[in-house]
Amino acid sequence: MKILVLNAGSSSQKSCLYELKDVQSDRPLQPLWEAKIDWTHQQNVSELKVQTAAGSQLEEELASESRQAAIYRMLETLWKGKTQTINNLNEIDIVGHRVVHGGQEYQQSTLISPDVKEAIARLAVFAPVHNPVNLEGIEAIEKILPNVRQIAVFDTAFHAGLAPATFVYPGPYEWLENGIRRYGFHGISHQYCARRAAEILGRDLADLRLISCHLGNGCSLAAIGGGVSVDTTMGFTPLEGLMMGSRSGSIDPGIIIHLLKRSDLTAEKLDNMLNRNSGLKGISGVSADMRQIVEAISQGNERAQLALDIYIHRLRAGIGAMLASLGGLDALIFTAGVGENSPIVRAAACEAFRFMGLKLDGDHNLQSPIDADIATADSAVKVLVIHTQEDWEIARECSKF
Ligand SMILES: Nc1ncnc2c1ncn2[C@@H]1O[C@H](COP(=O)(O)OP(=O)(O)O)[C@@H](O)[C@H]1O
Ligand SMILES: CC(=O)OP(=O)(O)O
Ligand SMILES: [Mg+2]
């Protein structure tokens, strides 16, 4: 069974082709072909990188192309040129898509139909950075493979079991009746990491209390007890919670009332302000990219330092909140772009939890090992760096259809 996966994040478009021989297979397989478009590279220039299991590689700049055209070019490298992996598009049996917001209707992976597409489009108002690009991926596939089955794998689904006290906002009760509630996101990644953590620790997932820190361009934490999400930092939209690359995370809603009363702020301007021009980017004035923040700090940039300090403060506070929801902790997991690659962020986050016997092995942390425990042998809590495999998790969901 050949499964094509499209995973659209806010700063990247990833894609993989897997061949599943054993449907029960649980360990991540190496994809036959994998591609990534990085939108953050430069203004109007995106970078495409492709590699195949057979060892071919390709790198090219996609200058000022539309997102649709860039996705098409990425997919073309599957059947054309030096990274060609299949002879015929019809070899693809099924296509899985990451869809960020599934609302109340979609609490598990779903075969995409016109109704499902309509719901994804409708829910785009709640995930304006994500659902529209997820839909673009679905439509790109419809054009080149009109008859293939497409599956939506929702980022919200993993959090479907949150308790009412966790998911209901203390606003007017009508909010809840109108679907205004906390949903939680990054569920595909949190779900994969929880299972992988149990494997690395050689423990049964049912017996573990985990906090998964997904720190990418978007950032969220999940408190996972017995394999189930019991709390998370993102809410109604992927804007709540931690400070992120270009998103503010939680702020006092009174600020919005204040701004609305005093200026000509429109919903669109507010959306741009909070989703695209806040967070690390907004505070530093340098970049949403943690690598550039750290670089700017090394050159003495004080706003970059402030941005990192707020990021760490809020990350620690978020971990504290998840800790309280779980009532204890077996392992703290760091994953996604920043979580997997930034020893500075991991060390600063862990520092706050030394009081409970969490001890980081400084040298091991500096190596950013993949899928490893970076706590000392006598630490009361394990600290895991896990390479998130959202694409594999999506393929795994597709194999159930
Ligand atoms: N070596 C690194 N050190 C620090 N941060 C990194 C490093 N590599 C990547 N990152 C961060 O990871 C972010 C992207 O994370 P990723 O999970 O790939 O994003 P997305 O949310 O688009 O899926 C980048 O914006 C960058 O800040
Ligand atoms: C939900 C979300 O924030 O996703 P990403 O981190 O890919 O932007
Ligand atoms: Mg991501």
Side-chain angles (χ1 to χ4, degrees), residues 7 9-10 12 14 98 186 214 216-218 336 390:
N7 171 3
S10 51
S12 62
K14 297 169 195 163
R98 172 188 186 211
H186 289 140
H214 179 108
N217 193 41
E390 287 169 312

Side-chain angles (χ1 to χ4, degrees), residues 9-12 14 36 216-218 288-291 336-338 341-342:
S10 51
S11 67
S12 62
K14 297 169 195 163
K36 182 177 178 185
N217 193 41
D289 190 316
M290 186 59 87
R291 287 166 288 199
V338 176
N341 296 299
S342 177

